[in-house]
Amino acid sequence: MDGEAILEYTDLSQLLSVLHGYGYTVIGPTLRDGAIVYDEVETLADFPVGYTDVQDAGTYRVARRTDDAVFGYTVGPHSYKQFLHPAVVSLWEATRTDGEMTIRTTPAPGAKYAFLGARSCELHALAVQDRVLYQGAYPDPVYAAVRESLFIVAVNCAHAGGTCFCVSMGTGPHATSGFDLSLTEVQGEGAHYFVVEVGSERGGEIFRQVPHRAANADESAAAERVVAEVAGQMGRTLDTDDLRDMLYRNLEHPRWEEIERRCLSCGNCTLVCPTCFCTTVNDVTDLSGQHAERVRTWDSCFTADFSYIHGGSVRASVRSRYRQWMTHKLASWIDQFGTAGCVGCGRCVTWCPVGIDITEEVRGIRLTDGALSGQP
Amino acid sequence: MDVSPTDLVGHGFLKGMAGEQLAALATCGAGYRSYAEGEFICREGANADEFHLIEHGLVALETTAADRRSLVMVTLEGGEVLGWSWMFPPYRWYFDARAVAATRTLALNGALVRAACQNDPQLGYELTRRIARVVIERLQATRLHALDLYNTHPPRK
Amino acid sequence: MIERTDPWIPESYHIVKTWREIPDTFTMELKPTDGREIPRFASGQFNMLYVFGVGEIPVSISGDPSQRGILTHTTRAVGAVSRALCDLKEGAVVGVRGPYGSHWPVAEAMGKDVVIAAGGLGLAPLRSAVREIVAARERFGKVSVLYGARTVEDILFRRELEGWRARFDLDVYVTVDHADAAWRGSVGVVTRFVARAAFNPEQVVAMVCGPEVMMRYTARELEKCGVVDDAIYLSMERNMKCAVGLCGHCQFQQFFVCKDGPVFAYHRVKSLLAKGEI
């Protein structure tokens, strides 16, 4: 297919049907418990049509829009990592008989997902997780199984959230790659349609089965305007100039102590972060003692146990745990994986119960670059 | 016996010291001492009228516990200096020093060294500096020692 | 879909022999249950050892890398898993994943003097290196082994240390922190022996393993003797759980100790070691 195409609002459900026809479990935004989350969607009715979200440091509210926008909000507490890198997963099961031990990989659920409504920051988060869990020397089999059958329908944001800073991180708002199809929602003067870009052969194959027509120049221009406007509406900014080295040379900055006074070390930021990948494992047995299982769960660098070695926790203070988290996202991640671990989605800012704002903390450190904490 | 500057020149503690200073120290020499394994070089509380440049051997600095068991704090070897109680009143040994293995030392008379330093402040400075260095190294080692680094049951942080 | 080996799956091994070395430390010799050779490893690497239903811990390999028939591990019984491991009898089955991580620069040390400095259990991963060096002794310059233990009873591999000391081509210094008069050896911290060891500071490789503080101060003593910081190697301890850089627990700023370490050239970690809580 050449150029962009138009998918009418009324035909969006056709796209859903085709995806279902291909055997995909379609994951889309849906309204639940006062938040827009990601879950299985069957029809357009499952989408939060006419809703938006209002976000700021430590606050999140869902609100009615005055129109019927399907994607008129940004990102909620969920990210796609719960599907690719599940919060709880069995890695293997073992049996013991007559002094022998047999260990077998727990069969993967084998889910074939289509993500419908993935924002540019989400696609970048996926790319970041790919580097960590998929493209290294030891690809994670759980992640790989889902990743390899993934179909992605991106959506260009038509609205920036109060805690968004993808423009600063170079991760949005325009989805430029990493999708099979991308949609830009356009409304006005009685029209309501999606400008569609095809990003892969598979995307083209699927889209050919959905009613559509070629976009004209005005329609394409309208879509470009939507994205350009959003880029100017970012709720937050983060100066990334020299960021890694700036943080490395400020490991003993007094700001960490100030953060410590507010940080509850609850780990919310790590749970909502679309790139945080840390896990722990629990080895369990059944009552007979002949069956064992290793279960992997998400872990957080904010717990004391996280860095435990014999004798105690390496990061005993909350300040050192926040420092670990933030410097990992914005500095050491670059050394480890060639990219920052932050995509500017703003979730950690929104979902922090005390409203600690990573962009504000970076600004605070930068402002007194080189200051030293009086405490050892 | 007489001690000559050539007896002193090779010892690690005096390495690089000027010839005339070595000569002045040599006049304070009390002679070579040999100690058999187990023999005490000095006893806690006794007069510290000498100190020793250890030529070879192994010397334990120790003290005695209530059950008469000797507790060794540190051992010293050839090239090291034993004793600084001679420097300040009451000039008494603070700990026991015992030869763990056959040991030979070159003993210097503390009172004579003090007098020599009094007469020659440059010698006094040089010797004090060398002793200060030894004290610092031993203190740093003692601090690491006090951390009990290999304790497998440290208090939980 | 591409078939991949699952990095999470341990292999089954039998305990051939297990014994206490010193009060809280034991060694076990393991053999694959299916009779195949053990995977090649390099001195300083570690394996993840799994006790059925209890859990998994990283344990350094203390055996000789040229010995392909048997896998030797030495560790301390201090946590739930290591205690369970210690309690296992000969013939019991354990899971093994590995080997993982970086290794001692034994090949790089050829033609040079070598200083091996170990504290406490730190001798376990260095024993592999010493055995390797002893097996090709003529290819190295002067070799010194400095070892510090807490008490005389805590001296690990005592018989082997005595064997090394009896050789004319190894300088072995053993010191303890606490002793009574029955001990005929040195008392004092191991860092004091660095200056006494004979080596050419411009042609030496130093391998240091022990508690972090001991390693830091040993490295500083080596530097005081004129050894450059990229000729000094340390083995770091962090909370290694997955061993393949996926779980995040062992991070040490930009490093994953499990895959970038555990053995690091000192110059790479020097500034971090001084900071604390990294």
Side-chain angles (χ1 to χ4, degrees):
Chain A
M1 190 178 337
D2 296 326
E4 291 167 335
I6 298 297
L7 172 69
E8 290 295 339
Y9 165 67
T10 46
D11 291 329
L12 183 63
S13 50
Q14 294 294 317
L15 175 60
L16 272 163
S17 304
V18 173
L19 288 171
H20 284 133
Y22 269 77
Y24 286 108
T25 299
V26 182
I27 302 296
T30 191
L31 189 59
R32 195 172 71 209
D33 300 333
I36 295 166
V37 299
Y38 292 145
D39 206 343
E40 273 190 59
V41 283
E42 294 296 330
T43 69
L44 194 51
D46 293 329
F47 285 73
V49 176
Y51 281 94
T52 189
D53 52 23
V54 182
Q55 303 195 32
D56 205 342
T59 70
Y60 177 96
R61 295 285 179 277
V62 170
R64 293 300 304 214
R65 293 176 62 95
T66 54
D67 58 19
D68 285 335
V70 184
F71 299 106
Y73 40 84
T74 58
V75 291
H78 284 181
S79 73
Y80 294 123
K81 83 174 174 188
Q82 69 194 72
F83 302 101
L84 286 140
H85 185 51
V88 181
V89 67
S90 171
L91 295 177
W92 50 253
E93 288 156 28
T95 51
R96 180 167 62 177
T97 39
D98 303 329
E100 296 298 324
M101 178 162 67
T102 316
I103 302 181
R104 286 204 184 82
T105 305
T106 309
K112 188 177 156 189
Y113 288 120
F115 293 161
L116 205 169
R119 309 308 174 108
S120 183
C121 62
E122 302 277 57
L123 300 181
H124 280 87
L126 263 177
V128 168
Q129 287 222 318
D130 281 351
R131 290 191 188 215
V132 178
L133 297 168
Y134 187 47
Q135 291 162 350
Y138 297 95
D140 174 40
V142 177
Y143 185 93
V146 179
R147 185 69 180 99
E148 282 159 10
S149 58
L150 199 56
F151 188 90
I152 297 173
V153 183
V155 163
N156 286 311
C157 286
H159 157 87
T163 57
C164 287
F165 56 102
C166 64
V167 168
S168 298
M169 299 313 293
T171 55
H174 188 201
T176 53
S177 64
F179 54 79
D180 296 291
L181 292 172
S182 100
L183 315 179
T184 308
E185 187 170 18
V186 179
Q187 291 182 89
E189 294 159 20
H192 190 179
Y193 57 87
F194 301 95
V195 177
V196 181
E197 195 188 327
V198 173
S200 72
E201 260 180 51
R202 208 164 32 146
E205 182 190 329
I206 300 252
F207 191 55
R208 270 193 294 277
Q209 298 167 59
V210 180
H212 65 271
R213 61 178 169 81
N216 63 38
D218 286 349
E219 289 163 334
S220 290
E224 275 167 37
R225 267 199 309 279
V226 165
V227 178
E229 274 170 32
V230 172
Q233 295 167 359
M234 291 288 124
R236 295 287 195 277
T237 58
L238 194 154
D239 178 2
T240 58
D241 182 45
D242 187 36
L243 186 53
R244 176 185 62 176
D245 294 341
M246 194 279 288
L247 289 174
Y248 278 169
R249 67 175 173 262
N250 282 291
L251 296 176
E252 289 166 321
H253 195 280
R255 187 83 183 193
W256 306 115
E257 281 160 50
E258 289 171 37
I259 299 168
E260 180 175 66
R261 277 181 230 129
R262 293 187 290 148
C263 177
L264 307 175
S265 202
C266 69
N268 261 17
C269 49
T270 59
L271 297 175
V272 294
C273 178
T275 67
C276 271
F277 59 86
C278 291
T279 53
T280 189
V281 291
N282 288 300
D283 289 290
V284 292
T285 44
D286 66 4
L287 285 175
S288 75
Q290 301 309 302
H291 275 83
E293 190 182 4
R294 177 164 301 168
V295 179
R296 186 178 76 187
T297 54
W298 286 352
D299 202 356
S300 170
C301 52
F302 281 91
T303 70
D305 267 358
F306 186 84
S307 61
Y308 181 84
I309 52 177
H310 177 63
S313 176
V314 172
R315 293 184 208 102
S317 73
V318 171
R319 105 184 64 142
S320 71
R321 293 182 215 155
Y322 186 87
R323 181 181 69 185
Q324 163 61 24
W325 177 74
M326 196 230 260
T327 57
H328 188 211
K329 287 288 145 197
L330 299 175
S332 46
W333 208 298
I334 297 168
D335 290 319
Q336 293 169 347
F337 303 107
T339 172
C342 173
V343 295
C345 70
R347 286 183 179 93
C348 59
V349 184
T350 298
W351 296 95
C352 175
V354 295
I356 295 172
D357 178 344
I358 190 170
T359 67
E360 205 45 54
E361 300 312 328
V362 167
R363 201 169 286 121
I365 293 168
R366 202 186 276 284
L367 207 62
T368 48
D369 187 354
L372 273 179
S373 155
Q375 289 180 22
Chain B
M1 66 161 272
D2 286 340
V3 173
S4 79
T6 49
D7 292 320
L8 298 176
V9 72
H11 196 274
F13 176 63
L14 301 174
K15 196 176 158 193
M17 191 180 245
E20 61 269 27
Q21 293 181 333
L22 285 175
L25 277 183
T27 65
C28 311
Y32 286 100
R33 305 268 191 267
S34 289
Y35 300 93
E37 182 185 318
E39 197 177 340
F40 282 97
I41 298 170
C42 51
R43 299 303 302 258
E44 179 184 328
N47 286 334
D49 39 22
E50 290 183 349
F51 68 102
H52 300 261
L53 304 178
I54 303 172
E55 298 273 313
H56 62 74
L58 186 64
V59 177
L61 283 193
E62 46 182 55
T63 193
T64 311
D67 59 4
R68 307 304 299 163
R69 206 160 42 99
S70 292
L71 301 173
V72 182
M73 283 157 284
V74 71
T75 53
L76 304 174
E77 297 181 8
E80 295 191 283
V81 62
L82 164 66
W84 48 54
S85 298
W86 59 275
M87 289 181 80
F88 298 101
Y91 311 120
R92 287 182 192 283
W93 291 109
Y94 208 68
F95 294 120
D96 289 339
R98 186 177 49 85
V100 179
T103 297
R104 186 173 140 100
T105 72
L106 179 53
L108 293 168
N109 182 298
L112 293 181
V113 173
R114 288 200 304 272
C117 291
Q118 202 78 42
N119 291 337
D120 179 358
Q122 269 192 346
L123 172 67
Y125 173 69
E126 183 57 30
L127 199 66
T128 309
R129 213 174 60 92
R130 283 169 187 266
I131 289 177
R133 183 188 177 138
V134 171
V135 172
I136 288 168
E137 282 171 0
R138 297 240 186 109
L139 179 58
Q140 286 172 338
T142 303
R143 285 167 173 166
L144 286 178
H145 202 155
L147 292 177
D148 200 10
L149 294 174
Y150 313 123
N151 186 354
T152 49
H153 306 286
R156 215 191 136 108
K157 272 184 262 177
Chain C
M1 216 182 103
I2 315 151
E3 270 307 309
R4 291 197 184 81
T5 49
D6 189 328
W8 305 109
I9 302 282
E11 306 277 350
S12 294
Y13 280 64
H14 275 133
I15 298 175
V16 178
K17 225 172 131 187
T18 176
W19 65 92
R20 278 194 189 260
E21 295 278 0
I22 51 177
D24 61 355
T25 302
F26 62 100
T27 294
M28 47 179 46
E29 292 182 344
L30 308 171
K31 246 186 170 146
T33 50
D34 60 5
R36 65 182 191 288
E37 284 200 323
I38 65 165
R40 265 181 208 292
F41 71 91
S43 297
Q45 288 193 295
F46 67 96
N47 278 314
M48 297 300 294
L49 301 188
Y50 168 68
V51 182
F52 191 89
V54 181
E56 196 182 49
I57 49 165
V59 183
S60 61
I61 307 172
S62 57
D64 186 336
S66 66
Q67 207 183 351
R68 299 293 308 285
I70 211 118
L71 184 61
T72 309
H73 281 287
T74 302
T75 194
R76 199 175 262 157
V78 286
V81 182
S82 56
R83 282 203 190 94
L85 199 58
C86 181
D87 290 342
L88 291 177
K89 303 280 181 286
E90 278 150 26
V93 67
V94 294
V96 178
R97 288 194 294 136
Y100 296 117
S102 60
H103 53 81
W104 296 114
V106 175
E108 291 88 324
M110 284 184 182
K112 296 181 180 172
D113 293 344
V114 181
V115 174
I116 304 267
L121 185 60
L123 187 59
L126 277 169
R127 183 173 76 163
S128 301
V130 177
R131 286 185 173 186
E132 219 182 320
I133 289 165
V134 165
R137 181 63 191 86
E138 69 288 350
R139 302 170 81 164
F140 299 88
K142 292 180 189 128
V143 178
S144 306
V145 177
L146 323 179
Y147 177 54
R150 188 166 188 245
T151 71
V152 179
E153 292 71 37
D154 294 319
I155 297 173
L156 189 60
F157 307 139
R158 193 162 173 180
R159 190 176 296 174
E160 191 157 1
L161 280 164
E162 280 162 11
W164 293 342
R165 208 211 291 265
R167 293 176 65 107
F168 62 91
D169 58 359
L170 289 181
D171 281 331
V172 178
Y173 302 83
V174 176
T175 183
V176 298
D177 280 355
H178 308 282
D180 61 23
W183 167 241
R184 302 296 176 88
S186 292
V187 176
V189 287
V190 72
T191 50
R192 293 184 66 224
F193 289 82
V194 170
R196 292 179 206 169
F199 58 86
N200 174 359
E202 285 162 15
Q203 284 295 317
V204 69
V205 171
M207 307 177 202
V208 186
C209 187
E212 202 167 300
V213 177
M214 171 266 171
M215 292 196 290
R216 209 161 79 224
Y217 285 96
T218 302
R220 282 172 63 170
E221 291 299 319
L222 286 159
E223 284 187 300
K224 259 163 72 180
C225 294
V227 183
V228 290
D229 57 11
D230 55 3
I232 303 168
Y233 291 80
L234 318 176
S235 182
M236 294 293 301
E237 184 193 4
R238 282 295 182 271
N239 186 3
M240 299 190 280
K241 284 192 104 79
C242 76
V244 292
L246 293 179
C247 81
H249 283 255
C250 67
Q251 283 179 89
F252 184 48
Q253 191 157 294
Q254 72 269 38
F255 303 116
F256 289 97
V257 172
C258 69
K259 65 178 180 132
D260 301 317
V263 176
F264 288 96
Y266 179 49
H267 73 98
R268 297 179 73 198
V269 294
K270 194 173 168 179
S271 66
L272 296 176
L273 281 171
K275 292 220 162 63
E277 290 197 291
I278 297 293

